[in-house]
Amino acid sequence: MKKSVLLFGLSILIIGSLELKAQINIPQPSPKAKVETTVGLTDVSISYFRPSLKGRQVFGEGDDYLQPYGVLWRAGANSGTVLNLNTEAIIAGNKVEAGEYLIFMTPGENEWEFKLYSDLSLGGNVGNYDESKEVISVIQEAEELDKPVETLTYQISDISPDNKTANIHFEWENVSLKIPFEVAYDDLVMTQIEQNTKVDPRNLITAANYYYTTDKDLKQALKWIDAYLAEGNNSAQFWNLHLKAQILAKMGQKKQAKEVAEKSIELAKKNSSGDFGYVKRNQDLIDSL
């Protein structure tokens, strides 16, 4: 009898485990998505779920619309939309610490309210929204699109040439909303320069290049690159000689810049693997002096 009960129990466990494994996966109405990029030294990502129009009217005045004006919205589907920052950033003029935040929005005819919320456990449950956990709330003008966007889309757009500013960019139906943000990386780079050039002399080149490209102390940049080139056979690295020529040129030391550029050309021409374009780069620099 005991053996029969044991076998029966084992059969139930096997059937139960088979039922758990034999799940059927089907496409979700609002599939998950993620957009991520690096602005400056800040990793920015937005994880969200993407509903589609499917013939529905989304934003407008009154209950006939899926998301009426003036009503708080989870800014996506399912469990909401999450913004992740690995460093501090300034979002629409407000300081936001590194971390993860839920995005909420309140649509309007011309202006939208954009909010960041600190408690991810809320998910998309707007009914339990607690204003004490609100990190920022800003009003931003929305743009009307000429062509409707079928599926809700986020992106990190309009990254500036200096890699310091960009937009959190939302589009759905006939609405485009851009939330500006900016990051600072100079202090981080300067700290790394202070620490890492003492550990590895190869970092002197990175430090010199950063000072050159950001118009900082060029005398210091020249000291760093000279210290690097003095090590071992580094003076044969024609690509780094080109950087030294660029620094000298920016300092107004044209004669010295020309001499270093000519040396770089000489070494580049002798390189068995090719000059990698440095003959032309140096010649262009010489012609510009």
Side-chain angles (χ1 to χ4, degrees), residues 107-167:
E109 184 175 0
N110 298 309
E111 294 180 330
W112 285 40
E113 191 170 12
F114 176 90
K115 299 171 180 284
L116 291 182
Y117 192 84
S118 62
D119 184 2
L120 265 62
S121 67
L122 181 66
N125 186 7
V126 295
N128 289 334
Y129 190 92
D130 183 353
E131 289 190 0
S132 68
K133 297 179 180 180
E134 193 174 88
V135 178
I136 67 168
S137 178
V138 297
I139 302 297
Q140 195 72 19
E141 187 174 345
E143 298 179 15
E144 184 175 351
L145 297 172
D146 295 331
K147 185 178 180 180
V149 174
E150 171 67 25
T151 304
L152 185 150
T153 300
Y154 282 95
Q155 57 182 311
I156 309 299
S157 67
D158 309 311
I159 299 176
S160 62
D162 63 2
N163 239 305
K164 290 185 177 180
T165 63
N167 287 313

Side-chain angles (χ1 to χ4, degrees), residues 161-195:
D162 63 2
N163 239 305
K164 290 185 177 180
T165 63
N167 287 313
I168 297 168
H169 191 177
F170 162 89
E171 289 186 326
W172 196 27
E173 198 184 42
N174 61 345
V175 175
S176 173
L177 185 71
K178 292 183 177 182
I179 306 299
F181 73 91
E182 58 184 294
V183 297
Y185 52 77
D186 192 64
D187 288 346
L188 293 172
V189 173
M190 297 300 286
T191 300
Q192 291 178 54
I193 288 173
E194 173 65 23
Q195 295 174 346

Side-chain angles (χ1 to χ4, degrees), residues 23-216:
Q23 295 177 346
I24 298 174
N25 293 317
I26 61 173
Q28 296 300 305
S30 301
K32 65 180 179 180
K34 185 176 184 180
V35 58
E36 56 186 337
T37 191
T38 301
V39 182
L41 294 177
T42 302
D43 294 330
V44 185
S45 70
I46 302 174
S47 302
Y48 64 108
F49 294 88
R50 307 184 67 192
S52 296
L53 295 178
K54 299 178 181 178
R56 299 175 295 182
Q57 291 182 305
V58 181
F59 305 117
E61 190 71 56
D63 295 336
D64 291 337
Y65 291 88
L66 181 64
Q67 184 56 47
Y69 292 153
V71 178
L72 185 66
W73 178 47
R74 56 190 165 178
N78 301 343
S79 58
T81 300
V82 177
L83 171 70
N84 185 295
L85 304 167
N86 76 328
T87 75
E88 174 188 301
I90 305 295
I91 300 179
N94 296 271
K95 179 180 175 181
V96 177
E97 300 292 342
E100 290 187 307
Y101 304 93
L102 285 167
I103 296 176
F104 287 92
M105 299 181 188
T106 303
E109 184 175 0
N110 298 309
E111 294 180 330
W112 285 40
E113 191 170 12
F114 176 90
K115 299 171 180 284
L116 291 182
Y117 192 84
S118 62
D119 184 2
L120 265 62
S121 67
L122 181 66
N125 186 7
V126 295
N128 289 334
Y129 190 92
D130 183 353
E131 289 190 0
S132 68
K133 297 179 180 180
E134 193 174 88
V135 178
I136 67 168
S137 178
V138 297
I139 302 297
Q140 195 72 19
E141 187 174 345
E143 298 179 15
E144 184 175 351
L145 297 172
D146 295 331
K147 185 178 180 180
V149 174
E150 171 67 25
T151 304
L152 185 150
T153 300
Y154 282 95
Q155 57 182 311
I156 309 299
S157 67
D158 309 311
I159 299 176
S160 62
D162 63 2
N163 239 305
K164 290 185 177 180
T165 63
N167 287 313
I168 297 168
H169 191 177
F170 162 89
E171 289 186 326
W172 196 27
E173 198 184 42
N174 61 345
V175 175
S176 173
L177 185 71
K178 292 183 177 182
I179 306 299
F181 73 91
E182 58 184 294
V183 297
Y185 52 77
D186 192 64
D187 288 346
L188 293 172
V189 173
M190 297 300 286
T191 300
Q192 291 178 54
I193 288 173
E194 173 65 23
Q195 295 174 346
N196 296 337
T197 52
K198 296 175 182 178
V199 176
D200 187 346
R202 289 175 296 182
N203 289 315
L204 292 167
I205 284 295
T206 303
N209 186 54
Y210 183 73
Y211 267 42
Y212 167 73
T213 55
T214 56
D215 294 322
K216 293 187 181 297

Side-chain angles (χ1 to χ4, degrees), residues 201-202 204-205 224-231 234 237 240:
R202 289 175 296 182
L204 292 167
I205 284 295
W224 278 328
I225 198 165
D226 279 341
Y228 174 80
L229 292 172
E231 292 283 331
N234 291 349
Q237 296 176 359
N240 285 323

